[in-house]
């Protein structure tokens, strides 16, 4: 019994973010204007079936992905923008998936971030082994599961999460 409790505590500790993300939810900061984001964001979001419950978000800075070319990406029922680098298609991106967020969506990721507004991201190696990184992001007050991904590493994924803002 004691051994099971110790193991449970260890598992909880392993699922804790290493504090790379700030406590304040970045999307609660000053929103980006439509002129601040590549036009493909607006185009894709306006076509999305879920736009009424899935606000448009975009990173204000691309970090290590600066210079990447944004393009539309397919996400059934939702919207997505992927960024291509010269030697890497879909190097990173953001999507408002056409699925509703549930607690079950967050059961298997090694890193967890919970912000002061109740929003939550769980993330880690895509498929459990990487090297690509994927985050499931649930933003408080939104009715969709956001996906943020990076093939440039965990640090880049965390940068994108810190830089996400609502778009007016």
């Amino acid at each position: 019994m004691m051994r099971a409790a110790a193991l449970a505590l260890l598992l909880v500790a392993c699922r804790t973010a290493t504090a790379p993300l700030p406590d304040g939810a970045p999307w609660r900061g000053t929103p980006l204007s439509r002129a601040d984001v590549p036009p493909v964001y607006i185009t894709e979001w306006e076509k999305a079936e879920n736009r009424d419950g899935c606000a448009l978000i975009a990173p204000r800075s691309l970090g290590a992905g600066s210079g990447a070319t944004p393009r539309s990406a397919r996400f059934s029922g939702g919207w997505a923008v992927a960024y291509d680098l010269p030697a890497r298609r879909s190097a990173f991106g953001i999507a408002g998936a056409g699925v509703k967020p549930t607690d079950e969506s967050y059961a298997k990721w090694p890193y967890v971030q919970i912000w002061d507004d109740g929003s939550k991201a769980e993330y880690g190696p895509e498929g459990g082994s990487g090297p690509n990184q994927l985050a499931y992001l649930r933003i408080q007050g939104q009715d969709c599961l956001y996906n943020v991904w990076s093939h440039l590493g965990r640090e880049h994924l965390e940068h994108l999460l810190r830089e996400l803002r609502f778009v007016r």
Side-chain angles (χ1 to χ4, degrees):
M1 182 82 156
M2 187 79 122
R3 194 168 158 182
L7 181 57
L9 285 173
L10 179 61
L11 288 173
V12 169
C14 289
R15 287 181 38 84
T16 305
T18 56
L21 302 173
D23 289 333
W27 37 87
R28 300 298 177 203
T30 304
L32 299 172
S33 73
R34 287 178 173 232
D36 291 333
V37 299
V40 66
Y41 276 91
I42 309 303
T43 302
E44 291 306 301
W45 181 76
E46 287 178 343
K47 292 189 303 186
E49 296 170 22
N50 68 347
R51 72 182 168 276
D52 290 336
C54 189
L56 181 59
I57 58 172
R60 67 179 178 172
S61 162
L62 300 179
S66 294
T69 304
R71 65 170 171 80
S72 65
R74 296 182 49 98
F75 249 77
S76 181
W79 59 271
V81 174
Y83 286 82
D84 297 333
L85 289 168
R88 180 86 159 167
R89 183 166 169 81
S90 196
F92 58 95
I94 293 118
V99 297
K100 296 191 182 292
T102 65
D103 288 336
E104 293 80 36
S105 301
Y106 299 92
K108 298 178 184 176
W109 298 102
Y111 304 103
V112 177
Q113 176 68 36
I114 300 172
W115 285 272
D116 57 357
D117 71 345
S119 298
K120 182 177 181 180
E122 287 199 356
Y123 60 100
E126 188 174 2
S129 61
N132 303 327
Q133 300 291 308
L134 174 63
Y136 285 170
L137 172 63
R138 179 176 50 193
I139 295 178
Q140 189 67 28
Q142 298 303 308
D143 200 26
C144 68
L145 179 66
Y146 292 94
N147 286 218
V148 183
W149 69 91
S150 178
H151 297 235
L152 304 180
R154 185 174 122 205
E155 293 80 19
H156 185 250
L157 177 71
E158 291 170 344
H159 173 84
L160 293 174
L161 289 170
R162 281 191 304 272
E163 294 296 312
L164 288 174
R165 302 295 186 271
F166 285 124
V167 179
R168 277 182 245 154

